[in-house]
Amino acid sequence: MYDEHYTRLNQYRSLWILVFFDLPTETRKERKIASGFRKKLLDDGFSMFQFSIYMRFCASRENSEVHTKRIRNNLPEHGKIGVMQITDKQFGMMELFYGKKPVEPDKPSQQLELF
């Protein structure tokens, strides 16, 4: 018998972090701040879902908390930012459309975890 705490990736235990943001871009300085925030998200392993929505897969809640804390530490002074965590199972139920044609969502790649 195995301990459920140490099971491999599980659709209900693994999470997706979605970061939604609306940052001011009226001045050159604001555009630089907004682009710096996006760059920090990319450097932290997030990928663009839509222009102001970035996402990242996390194998556990503890891992997602680390990345959420990094976002919190990099918040710009102005703008609106939201962070939402959903399970891999919920993410897999998302319906994506390009025009009227449904599109299959990309399957997350297996991540190797070294301890």
Side-chain angles (χ1 to χ4, degrees), residues 29-48:
K29 181 180 178 184
E30 290 173 338
R31 284 190 295 275
K32 185 174 181 174
I33 290 169
S35 123
F37 181 73
R38 281 193 292 276
K39 184 176 179 338
K40 288 176 186 173
L41 288 173
L42 292 170
D43 290 345
D44 195 27
F46 284 82
S47 58
M48 185 190 301

Side-chain angles (χ1 to χ4, degrees), residues 17-20 68 71-72 75 81-85:
I17 302 174
L18 299 168
V19 180
F20 311 91
T68 302
I71 293 166
R72 216 176 276 123
L75 293 175
I81 297 165
V83 177
M84 180 170 65
Q85 298 179 9

Side-chain angles (χ1 to χ4, degrees), residues 36-78:
F37 181 73
R38 281 193 292 276
K39 184 176 179 338
K40 288 176 186 173
L41 288 173
L42 292 170
D43 290 345
D44 195 27
F46 284 82
S47 58
M48 185 190 301
F49 183 72
Q50 290 184 355
F51 185 67
S52 293
I53 302 174
Y54 283 66
M55 63 184 184
R56 185 186 202 290
F57 178 78
C58 294
S60 68
R61 181 159 307 280
E62 295 80 15
N63 184 245
S64 72
E65 289 171 1
V66 167
H67 296 287
T68 302
K69 185 177 180 180
R70 284 186 192 149
I71 293 166
R72 216 176 276 123
N73 291 336
N74 292 319
L75 293 175
E77 187 174 343
H78 301 287

Side-chain angles (χ1 to χ4, degrees), residues 1 9 15 24 28 34 36 47 51 54 56 60 62 78 80 82 85 94 99 101 104 109 113:
M1 194 178 251
L9 294 178
L15 300 168
R28 182 179 230 198
S47 58
F51 185 67
Y54 283 66
R56 185 186 202 290
S60 68
E62 295 80 15
H78 301 287
K80 186 186 275 186
Q85 298 179 9
M94 180 179 5
K101 184 178 178 183
E104 286 293 318
S109 59
E113 288 189 34

